[in-house]
Amino acid sequence: PRAAAARPLLALRGVTCRYPGAAAPALAGVDFDVRPGEIVAVMGHSGAGKSTLLKCLTGIVPGFEHAEVTGERRAFAEPLEDVRPGDLAGRVGMVFQDFEAQLFSTNVRLEVGFAPQQLGLPRGEIAARTVRALERVGLSGFDARDPATLSGGEKQRLALAGILALAPSVVLLDEPTTDIDPEGKRTVLALLRALRDDGVGVVIVEHEILAAQAADRLVLLSDGRVRADGPSTELLRETELLAACGVRPRDLDVLARRLGVDGGLQDVDAAEAQLRRRGFAARPGHERRDAQPPAADETPLLEARDVHFGYPDGAVALAGVSLRIRAGEFVALVGQNGSGKTTLAKHLNGLLLPTRGTVLLDGADTRTLALGEIARRVGFVFQDPDHQLFSPSVEEEVAYGPRHLGLPPDELRARVERALCVCGLGERRDEDPFLLRKGERQRLAVASILAIEPRVLILDEPTTGLDWREQLAVLDLLAQLNRAGVTIVVISHSPWLVAEHAARAVLMARGRVLFDGPVAELLRAGEALRAAAFVLPDATQLGLRFGVAARSVAELAAALELHGAPA
């Protein structure tokens, strides 16, 4: 009510935005505003216009990124055309989708203090704001760390801290939790609610539904137009509308529709009570069983033996990790930001060498192997695909790796064609990789590795920044490759991805392995899950209340049946 009565801080009225050479406008007749003390979640499929909307609110488009923009845009009741960018500094803060591009200082303290320093604040005020901002994002004690040594999620929170130090009236966030673990996401969203309570207007663009659950309003975009704008509690129940906009609906809302429960299911506790009152119980025999792992005495494809690793600044990333990965497995590496997942993965493909301990590939110590030889057998797709794309066309990007293997021309062409076909990029072969959408660049990074035909494919957060349809496309591709014999190792913060798609999970915390075994057993490993702050999907949590370790909504719905008369 307070927000509804207040004057908008930023507003768009009938705004249309078209980039040069684009076949269709990025935004088409959009009305949008954010008011003091309000959190607005903006969701939609990739290319729906979400990032463009944020840039139009701040004047980045067309001020710094050229585009034709029509309609009315206002900032603090003034026409945005009359407001200089410098006048918005300190009043509007924005964390970009490419948050790493915002980081440039040599340590965390200097990074957070940079923006308030440019406002000419007293030194004591800058120091106080820095301490407070780091505390609010959970990075206290990181002051002297080099940002380059932080995990992806820690960098993302650092970028947010740099904005909070400005004490802005409006905070705009473009996918601020993509690289953050489940516990960290809840911490960030709790912080945004605290900002809202302080009267700050917050706009958050996200692909994950958790952001909308924390918001007051939800705006759904599709093809540059507003499909829906209303209270998030109401729109979140529209599962078909969300799916049509490329958003994965809440487990409990999908389950309520499948079971015919009117009024929805609010949370796991309420859902359990409501279903039991209605007479639902679980039938046995509906838990998915993964294929049996290879025999324990089989020679592993990859093995880590008591691996330790520390970064030059003294940060310990791995503290005695032992792991055996066999051919044909589908393994998920999970754990909080900074738990050592990416560092371990970089040891498995030779990008890093242990401070102490040994990593073996086909029984050979990686210290004795050339990096190129390891790359032939172990492919690595980075968390940000842009870190490994550099060629002028999609086809050239895919051909680069196998060309340097010295393959005959016919074999080279065949490998490129197979990789393009498998990744669905055959029709995009002549395009500039950096003009592709994030999901397409992700698939291109996979294709460039597949053309080398490695035996192992390691992917660091392969679904971040993708809409639900793109996520499913990537996961279907990985399942197809795994069935064809490729060993898959995925680093992920998405509990539903791990539960539904992986066969084995390795749970890490503070550089150590807390659990290593079948995903079906991880779901019941309560103590290890709590120690690593790993939050199971709602469908799984609810299923466990009924005695079934359901790994998806479909499994849970199949397991539940009416048992006797409703209470």
Side-chain angles (χ1 to χ4, degrees), residues 95-314:
V95 176
F96 289 85
Q97 188 175 24
D98 182 7
F99 56 87
E100 290 197 50
Q102 293 181 247
L103 307 178
F104 57 87
S105 296
T106 54
N107 69 42
V108 166
R109 177 179 52 80
L110 293 175
E111 187 68 53
V112 178
F114 178 81
Q117 186 178 25
Q118 307 316 304
L119 297 180
L121 297 178
R123 180 173 298 180
E125 175 68 11
I126 294 172
R129 289 194 182 195
T130 299
V131 170
R132 175 62 174 153
L134 289 173
E135 181 182 85
R136 299 185 84 173
V137 300
L139 292 178
S140 294
F142 283 63
D143 304 55
R145 289 280 299 274
D146 182 344
T149 68
L150 302 181
S151 72
E154 290 166 344
K155 290 177 183 176
Q156 200 159 27
R157 283 185 280 151
L158 175 58
L160 176 57
I163 296 303
L164 295 180
L166 288 169
S169 301
V170 188
V171 175
L172 308 178
L173 305 145
D174 197 349
E175 299 189 32
T177 65
T178 52
D179 294 326
I180 298 177
D181 58 66
E183 185 69 17
K185 292 182 198 296
R186 285 169 170 77
T187 299
V188 169
L189 295 175
L191 167 60
L192 298 186
R193 286 191 289 266
L195 291 174
R196 183 262 315 274
D197 294 342
D198 290 340
V200 176
V202 178
V203 182
I204 178 170
V205 166
E206 268 290 3
H207 283 300
E208 293 192 29
I209 208 72
L210 189 63
Q213 292 176 246
D216 305 295
R217 274 172 51 214
L218 173 58
V219 176
L220 293 173
L221 289 180
S222 180
D223 298 324
R225 300 180 183 277
V226 175
R227 285 285 301 273
D229 182 351
S232 57
T233 52
E234 296 178 8
L235 288 180
L236 285 176
R237 296 179 183 174
E238 302 294 331
T239 57
E240 294 181 2
L241 173 61
L242 292 171
C245 292
V247 177
R248 184 178 187 270
R250 284 199 327 147
D251 284 0
L252 297 181
D253 291 318
V254 176
L255 181 66
R257 287 196 171 236
R258 285 183 178 240
L259 298 180
V261 177
D262 297 331
L265 300 169
Q266 297 304 314
D267 55 42
V268 174
D269 290 336
E272 180 192 6
Q274 191 170 351
L275 292 178
R276 290 193 186 282
R277 283 197 305 269
R278 289 173 175 260
F280 281 98
R283 291 177 292 179
H286 279 272
E287 293 186 15
R288 186 175 107 203
R289 298 187 182 277
D290 292 314
Q292 290 296 313
D297 58 356
E298 181 179 325
T299 301
L301 183 57
L302 280 165
E303 183 175 7
R305 294 180 180 173
D306 191 32
V307 169
H308 295 252
F309 183 80
Y311 286 101
D313 65 357

Side-chain angles (χ1 to χ4, degrees), residues 255 258 286-289 499-500 523 548-560:
L255 181 66
R258 285 183 178 240
H286 279 272
E287 293 186 15
R288 186 175 107 203
R289 298 187 182 277
E500 295 185 27
L523 304 183
V548 56
R551 294 168 65 170
S552 67
V553 173
E555 277 188 29
L556 181 56
L560 293 175

Side-chain angles (χ1 to χ4, degrees), residues 260-390:
V261 177
D262 297 331
L265 300 169
Q266 297 304 314
D267 55 42
V268 174
D269 290 336
E272 180 192 6
Q274 191 170 351
L275 292 178
R276 290 193 186 282
R277 283 197 305 269
R278 289 173 175 260
F280 281 98
R283 291 177 292 179
H286 279 272
E287 293 186 15
R288 186 175 107 203
R289 298 187 182 277
D290 292 314
Q292 290 296 313
D297 58 356
E298 181 179 325
T299 301
L301 183 57
L302 280 165
E303 183 175 7
R305 294 180 180 173
D306 191 32
V307 169
H308 295 252
F309 183 80
Y311 286 101
D313 65 357
V316 177
L318 298 177
V321 171
S322 294
L323 182 72
R324 294 159 66 93
I325 297 175
R326 297 174 180 85
E329 289 198 275
F330 194 128
V331 183
L333 287 180
V334 295
Q336 290 181 288
N337 293 126
S339 61
K341 304 182 301 298
T342 299
T343 300
L344 174 59
K346 289 181 177 179
H347 278 76
L348 298 180
N349 82 325
L351 288 178
L352 294 175
L353 296 175
T355 305
R356 189 167 86 244
T358 306
V359 176
L360 304 175
L361 172 58
D362 283 326
D365 190 329
T366 53
R367 288 189 178 91
T368 68
L369 300 174
L371 194 56
E373 177 59 28
I374 298 175
R376 290 171 183 256
R377 290 182 273 175
V378 184
F380 193 100
V381 178
F382 288 85
Q383 193 168 5
D384 185 347
D386 294 346
H387 288 175
Q388 62 192 99
L389 303 179
F390 53 85

Side-chain angles (χ1 to χ4, degrees), residues 83-97:
V83 179
R84 296 179 304 169
D87 294 335
L88 294 180
R91 305 178 73 186
V92 179
M94 182 169 173
V95 176
F96 289 85
Q97 188 175 24

